[in-house]
Amino acid sequence: MTDTERPSGVAKAVVPAAGLGTRFLPATKATPKEMLPIVDKPAIQYVVEEAVDAGLDDVLMVTGRSKRSIEDHFDRAYELEEALRAKSDTQRLHSVRESSELAQVHYVRQGEPRGLGHAVLCASAHVGDEPFAVLLGDDLIGRDEALLRRMIQVREAYGGSVVALMEVDPDQVSLYGCAAIEPTGEDDVVTVTDLVEKPAADRAPSRWAVIGRYICDPAVFDVLRDTPPGRGGEIQLTDALLQLARRKPADGGPVHGVLFRGQRYDTGNRVDYLRTVVEFASERPDLAAEFLPWLRDFVARNPAADDA
């Protein structure tokens, strides 16, 4: 298929979920980190909901061993549903059915954890020669932000691939891939000219960090097949995107960035995960009236809060 024949619309989402979750051991010894609850809903469901809200209801999960509970969560639970129906518990029955009715969810296994780039490459047979979205489960985006929709619009306008960029503090740049950027005619859209995976603060090309949302041109698959292991001995998606950034549109380039200044929740480490749970609980109408007064009282009477 030539570039002029290549589909331009984004219709599929890929959610890598094969990581070992070592930061949350021992909780993740038998439970996937993606299934850790944000109040009463697993984090990965928020990610799938975001994809669906952006019009992508064909979702491929890239999983690994010990991830079966993810498949179970997005499947029907007939015995549980029947028990709730017998009790006339319509609210919980709806919440149980909701995940199985969200999207067409497919699965492929990543045999060994070889990096994000390799996880994306595992999606090549399902995605085919179409542009697609990649959503990382560690990053939750506020429901009102419409970041993914905006990235799809940028892909349709400029072609190539699109990354989400968020400005971070200097002491945080070493935790991300960081981009060198040039302005375009739109305030929130930039051209990416360089990408560096987890640079030292004094070597970062900017403070604009790549967060866990991507729109990838299908040309990324051929690049990933030839991409050697990079930082950490893993195949990095950042390295493949850097190659595409240097290409012309006919060859799968370039790469643009959407400058995101909205609400993002990081659930990739314990402290930020706890912050996310507290924020989500505080914003829930059914919980806030009881939870917030308790939280204020707890902070007021906890000596450790003053010493922190």
Side-chain angles (χ1 to χ4, degrees):
M1 182 177 288
T2 66
D3 183 70
T4 56
E5 297 171 328
R6 181 178 295 156
S8 60
V10 180
K12 297 177 180 178
V14 174
V15 181
L20 298 176
T22 53
R23 294 180 182 178
F24 288 89
L25 287 171
T28 49
K29 178 181 178 181
T31 301
K33 70 171 183 177
E34 297 84 4
M35 289 298 294
L36 294 178
I38 309 299
V39 187
D40 53 9
K41 186 188 298 184
I44 199 166
Q45 183 170 333
Y46 288 100
V47 175
V48 174
E49 289 172 351
E50 181 187 349
V52 172
D53 287 346
L56 311 180
D57 61 0
D58 185 322
V59 179
L60 177 69
M61 301 277 187
V62 183
T63 65
R65 289 183 294 275
S66 302
K67 301 281 184 170
R68 182 60 184 271
S69 62
I70 295 177
E71 297 183 33
D72 291 341
H73 180 71
F74 289 100
D75 198 357
R76 294 291 297 273
Y78 293 101
E79 295 84 355
L80 177 58
E81 291 176 20
E82 185 58 35
L84 294 171
R85 187 182 299 108
K87 296 178 180 179
S88 298
D89 193 340
T90 56
Q91 181 177 353
R92 289 188 174 87
L93 178 60
H94 172 74
S95 68
V96 167
R97 282 183 170 176
E98 183 181 22
S99 59
S100 64
E101 298 172 348
L102 272 175
Q104 300 177 35
V105 184
H106 312 270
Y107 303 90
V108 63
R109 278 199 172 187
Q110 183 184 21
E112 55 182 319
R114 297 176 55 194
L116 176 58
H118 182 261
V120 171
L121 184 56
C122 290
S124 60
H126 181 79
V127 170
D129 196 22
E130 302 177 27
F132 61 101
V134 177
L135 298 86
L136 304 190
D138 287 349
D139 283 343
L140 304 185
I141 304 298
R143 290 294 297 266
D144 298 329
E145 301 295 350
L147 170 62
L148 196 57
R149 283 188 179 274
R150 177 56 176 152
M151 294 175 69
I152 292 171
Q153 291 173 353
V154 172
R155 154 72 195 191
E156 291 172 349
Y158 293 89
S161 298
V162 184
V163 296
L165 299 174
M166 191 168 190
E167 195 169 22
V168 299
D169 294 333
D171 62 349
Q172 296 288 304
V173 295
S174 62
L175 303 177
Y176 298 89
C178 292
I181 58 177
E182 293 180 351
T184 66
E186 300 184 74
D187 290 341
D188 65 334
V189 181
V190 294
T191 300
V192 175
T193 59
D194 194 12
L195 287 165
V196 182
E197 181 67 19
K198 297 181 179 179
D202 59 349
R203 301 186 64 181
S206 76
R207 289 170 50 190
W208 287 99
V210 180
I211 59 175
R213 297 295 181 271
Y214 309 79
I215 304 295
C216 292
D217 188 273
V220 74
F221 291 130
D222 285 337
V223 177
L224 285 168
R225 291 186 184 99
D226 295 328
T227 299
R231 186 180 178 91
E234 298 181 335
I235 298 175
Q236 301 290 348
L237 180 59
T238 303
D239 293 340
L241 289 171
L242 175 57
Q243 291 196 44
L244 293 181
R246 296 168 175 169
R247 291 187 178 186
K248 296 179 179 180
D251 299 319
V255 175
H256 286 87
V258 171
L259 304 182
F260 180 61
R261 299 179 175 89
Q263 183 64 59
R264 167 186 175 247
Y265 304 90
D266 184 354
T267 63
N269 62 76
R270 290 174 298 176
V271 172
D272 285 332
Y273 169 78
L274 292 172
R275 290 190 182 112
T276 300
V277 172
V278 170
E279 286 195 38
F280 273 58
S282 300
E283 295 170 359
R284 286 267 296 263
D286 60 328
L287 298 175
E290 183 176 353
F291 178 66
L292 285 175
W294 174 87
L295 183 61
R296 295 188 189 100
D297 179 65
F298 174 79
V299 172
R301 60 185 169 81
N302 186 0
D306 296 330
D307 297 335

